């Protein structure tokens, strides 16, 4: 999500365009609208309505979502995990999503077009979307959810050295998962009678997620793509391992770009198992280059057409069987 602009102490930001000053009677109306939300949600809404400071918006959005989520699923929102999926992880259907949107519109005094909701798949999508609406910024590209077949088709790394089972990529971050099966070749000797995922392999997995971000999330010039065969590891700093990871653990990986100017891209990364921190890397740096987008014939609606494809991309392979072996 875009960073909030620095704010001097005691100086309020201008209210969003079209938003009237907060009057005493508005507080009672806001309290009634948020009566089933937490006190912290109400307080954040009050502060936003009084100051227009977008830094309060995430707390409001999370609080409103929590109000509509089943009680046994609300614990997932405690850490405000941006890669939580609205449908799969939180059980939010389309009708419930409309209820959330209507309440957010009322509390934040903004208007949301129904067509704009189609691409909101995660908590992070919702937070970023609302933040952009409040600030008047262009809406970000929707998050792309990538199954193993797609990952294997575009990645230069292949099994048995591919450590992503699924991933999602937005314009600001990437998230992925990898389940340690116990059948990985390197576990045969790491360690004797005590299989442990090497920390170096977990860093490799974060690096692979960064590669996927370069291939799927980075905007390029027309006719240009990031070449899969141009991406290489150059450095890693600030690494800490916090947890031993063993067969059966599901690694949740996340990376965010910190600096990006060709030929270098630097990311921060983290791995969790459930809510437990496993590995953090303050900086992972890759080198990359743009290449011309190739064209190849493809069948579209029964006819052969020429469509651009990523130069250097690998052909699709039957990966799911290899991953689940």
């Amino acid at each position: 999500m875009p960073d909030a602009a620095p704010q001097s102490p005691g100086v309020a930001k201008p209210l969003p365009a079209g938003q009237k000053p907060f009057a005493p009677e508005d507080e009672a109306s806001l309290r009634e609208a948020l009566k089933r939300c937490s006190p912290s949600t109400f307080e954040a809404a009050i502060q936003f309505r009084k100051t227009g400071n977008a830094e309060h918006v995430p707390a409001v959005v999370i609080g409103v979502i929590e109000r509509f989520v089943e009680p046994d699923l609300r614990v997932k929102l405690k850490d405000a995990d941006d890669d939580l999926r609205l449908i799969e992880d939180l059980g939010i259907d389309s009708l419930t999503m409309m209820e959330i949107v209507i309440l957010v519109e009322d509390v934040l005094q903004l208007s949301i077009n129904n067509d704009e909701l189609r691409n909101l798949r995660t908590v992070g999508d919702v937070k970023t979307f609302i933040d952009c609406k409040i600030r008047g910024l262009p809406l970000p590209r929707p998050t792309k959810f990538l199954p193993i077949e797609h990952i294997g088709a575009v990645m230069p790394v292949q099994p048995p050295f591919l450590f992503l089972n699924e991933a999602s990529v937005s314009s600001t971050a990437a998230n992925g998962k990898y389940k340690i099966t116990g059948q990985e070749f390197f576990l045969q000797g790491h360690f004797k009678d005590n299989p442990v995922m090497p920390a170096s392999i977990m860093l490799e997995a974060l690096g692979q997620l960064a590669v996927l971000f370069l291939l799927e999330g980075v905007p390029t010039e027309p006719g240009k793509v990031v070449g899969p065969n141009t991406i290489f590891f150059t450095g890693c700093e600030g690494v800490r391992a916090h947890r031993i990871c063993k067969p059966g653990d599901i690694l949740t990986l996340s990376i965010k770009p910190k600096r990006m100017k060709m030929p270098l891209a630097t990311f921060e990364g983290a791995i969790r198992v459930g809510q437990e921190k496993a590995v953090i890397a303050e900086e992972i740096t890759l080198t990359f280059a743009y290449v011309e987008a190739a064209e190849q014939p493809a069948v579209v609606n029964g006819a052969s057409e020429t469509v651009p494809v990523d130069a250097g991309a690998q052909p699709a392979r039957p990966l799911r069987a290899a991953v689940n072996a």
Side-chain angles (χ1 to χ4, degrees):
M1 187 169 62
D3 292 336
Q7 181 181 6
S8 300
V11 179
K13 295 183 179 181
L15 292 173
Q19 182 172 319
K20 63 180 181 179
F22 191 74
E25 59 269 21
D26 293 327
E27 181 170 343
S29 176
L30 198 56
R31 187 182 298 277
E32 175 64 21
L34 296 174
K35 63 184 179 182
R36 295 185 180 178
C37 296
S38 66
S40 60
T41 304
F42 173 71
E43 182 59 31
I46 288 285
Q47 292 303 314
F48 172 76
R49 290 280 290 273
K50 287 182 176 180
T51 67
N53 188 342
E55 292 177 350
H56 299 293
V57 170
V60 176
V61 173
I62 292 297
V64 170
I65 292 176
E66 183 181 37
R67 178 252 184 268
F68 289 96
V69 170
E70 293 295 328
D72 60 329
L73 296 176
R74 290 175 185 172
V75 66
K76 295 183 177 182
L77 285 166
K78 294 302 181 183
D79 294 330
D81 192 346
D82 283 357
D83 64 340
L84 280 173
R85 297 169 295 181
L86 300 174
I87 298 174
E88 296 87 345
D89 298 328
L90 298 177
I92 296 174
D93 57 27
S94 58
L95 185 59
T96 304
M97 188 64 190
M98 285 304 304
E99 293 184 277
I100 291 172
V101 168
I102 291 170
L103 183 52
V104 168
E105 285 182 316
D106 184 36
V107 171
L108 300 182
Q109 294 191 322
L110 53 81
S111 178
I112 299 174
N113 189 307
N114 287 351
D115 290 338
E116 295 174 329
L117 303 178
R118 295 177 180 175
N119 295 321
L120 303 183
R121 305 284 187 84
T122 68
V123 170
D125 288 344
V126 175
K127 288 164 61 178
T128 301
F129 171 79
I130 299 297
D131 185 79
C132 289
K133 293 285 285 189
I134 292 293
R135 299 173 188 265
L137 301 174
L139 297 179
R141 291 182 299 167
T143 298
K144 294 188 288 186
F145 290 86
L146 310 178
I148 183 60
E149 292 84 359
H150 183 94
I151 296 170
V154 301
M155 286 286 286
V157 179
Q158 297 290 295
F161 213 71
L162 180 62
F163 304 113
L164 296 171
N165 297 152
E166 63 181 73
S168 62
V169 179
S170 70
S171 58
T172 58
N175 299 282
K177 291 185 183 297
Y178 178 75
K179 181 177 181 179
I180 306 173
T181 66
Q183 301 302 310
E184 290 83 357
F185 65 93
F186 45 80
L187 291 182
Q188 296 177 19
H190 195 277
F191 298 102
K192 182 180 179 181
D193 300 325
N194 182 30
V196 172
M197 185 78 162
S200 58
I201 296 293
M202 290 194 279
L203 290 176
E204 167 69 21
L206 284 174
Q208 291 180 9
L209 187 60
V211 170
L212 191 62
F213 178 86
L214 289 175
L215 296 175
E216 296 287 329
V218 174
T220 59
E221 301 173 3
K224 299 282 189 180
V225 295
V226 175
N229 296 326
T230 71
I231 306 173
F232 295 97
F233 172 86
T234 64
C236 189
E237 297 183 13
V239 176
R240 295 290 185 275
H242 296 269
R243 183 189 191 278
I244 293 174
C245 297
K246 300 176 71 67
D249 286 340
I250 297 176
L251 308 182
T252 299
L253 307 94
S254 61
I255 60 98
K256 292 183 179 180
K258 296 180 68 175
R259 299 181 297 277
M260 188 168 300
K261 184 175 182 180
M262 198 180 72
L264 296 176
T266 299
F267 302 83
E268 61 182 31
I271 297 178
R272 299 189 322 275
V273 176
Q275 298 302 315
E276 297 180 351
K277 187 187 303 181
V279 171
I280 62 169
E282 294 178 3
E283 292 194 350
I284 298 173
T285 302
L286 306 177
T287 181
F288 71 100
Y290 296 129
V291 298
E292 296 291 334
E295 294 186 347
Q296 69 179 24
V299 176
V300 180
N301 296 328
S304 179
E305 297 183 8
T306 300
V307 296
V309 298
D310 290 352
Q314 302 292 327
R317 298 174 58 183
L319 295 174
R320 189 172 299 281
V323 169
N324 293 333

